[in-house]
Amino acid sequence: MKKGFRIKKNDDFQAVFKKGKSVANRQFVVYILKKEEQENFRIGLSVSKKVGNAVKRNQIKRYIRQVFHELSPQIKRGNDYVIIARKPVAEMDYHQTKKSLQHVLRLGKVLNKLESN
């Protein structure tokens, strides 16, 4: 995931929280904000200290970025996504994380169905 596809500034995060819509499952909350002028999507990650130590939190963020990298052809462009990881994510491996993120993105209707899994 290129650095240009990430949300870094607090103002950008706050805009997504205030104006975006949210979808959630047990593991993730995803805020989605439509930005028509953007040609690509951007993601912002939030993993609380409640989830685990720094090593665990960074591992979770790597998993999420990798999932978005793999799913990028299917994900709708022109949106900002803020992903908040909840506590159960700490016990999940990569494949469980991917499955859970796919589920919550389908709930938000931002995942085009290109493949069957």
Side-chain angles (χ1 to χ4, degrees):
M1 178 96 343
K2 291 184 181 141
K3 299 244 187 231
F5 296 155
R6 296 194 196 160
I7 300 172
K8 289 287 197 183
K9 294 193 170 97
N10 186 37
D11 292 343
D12 293 341
F13 273 96
Q14 294 307 319
V16 175
F17 289 138
K18 286 188 178 98
K19 299 175 193 154
K21 63 172 187 155
S22 68
V23 288
N25 62 10
R26 290 177 96 84
Q27 294 84 17
F28 294 102
V29 180
V30 178
Y31 286 85
I32 303 158
L33 178 64
K34 286 185 180 10
K35 287 198 153 182
E36 306 299 334
E37 71 276 2
Q38 236 172 239
E39 69 272 2
N40 282 314
F41 63 83
R42 296 189 311 164
I43 66 168
L45 304 176
S46 175
V47 184
S48 167
K49 285 185 178 180
K50 294 176 187 172
V51 174
N53 64 10
V55 175
K56 192 58 163 171
R57 294 194 308 270
N58 286 329
Q59 180 189 46
I60 291 166
K61 289 189 260 188
R62 281 196 308 272
Y63 285 171
I64 295 169
R65 281 195 286 267
Q66 183 61 31
V67 169
F68 268 81
H69 180 72
E70 288 179 12
L71 296 178
S72 61
Q74 294 174 256
I75 295 172
K76 285 191 181 163
R77 307 266 180 243
N79 287 338
D80 278 355
Y81 302 97
V82 173
I83 298 95
I84 300 172
R86 291 178 165 170
K87 242 186 182 167
V89 178
E91 280 83 49
M92 293 166 56
D93 66 5
Y94 172 73
H95 297 290
Q96 292 169 319
T97 303
K98 182 175 181 179
K99 193 172 179 184
S100 179
L101 261 176
Q102 281 179 313
H103 173 254
V104 79
L105 290 172
R106 271 194 218 101
L107 287 176
K109 295 177 177 55
V110 293
L111 200 61
N112 300 324
K113 289 180 170 63
L114 291 180
E115 52 182 274
S116 59
N117 64 346

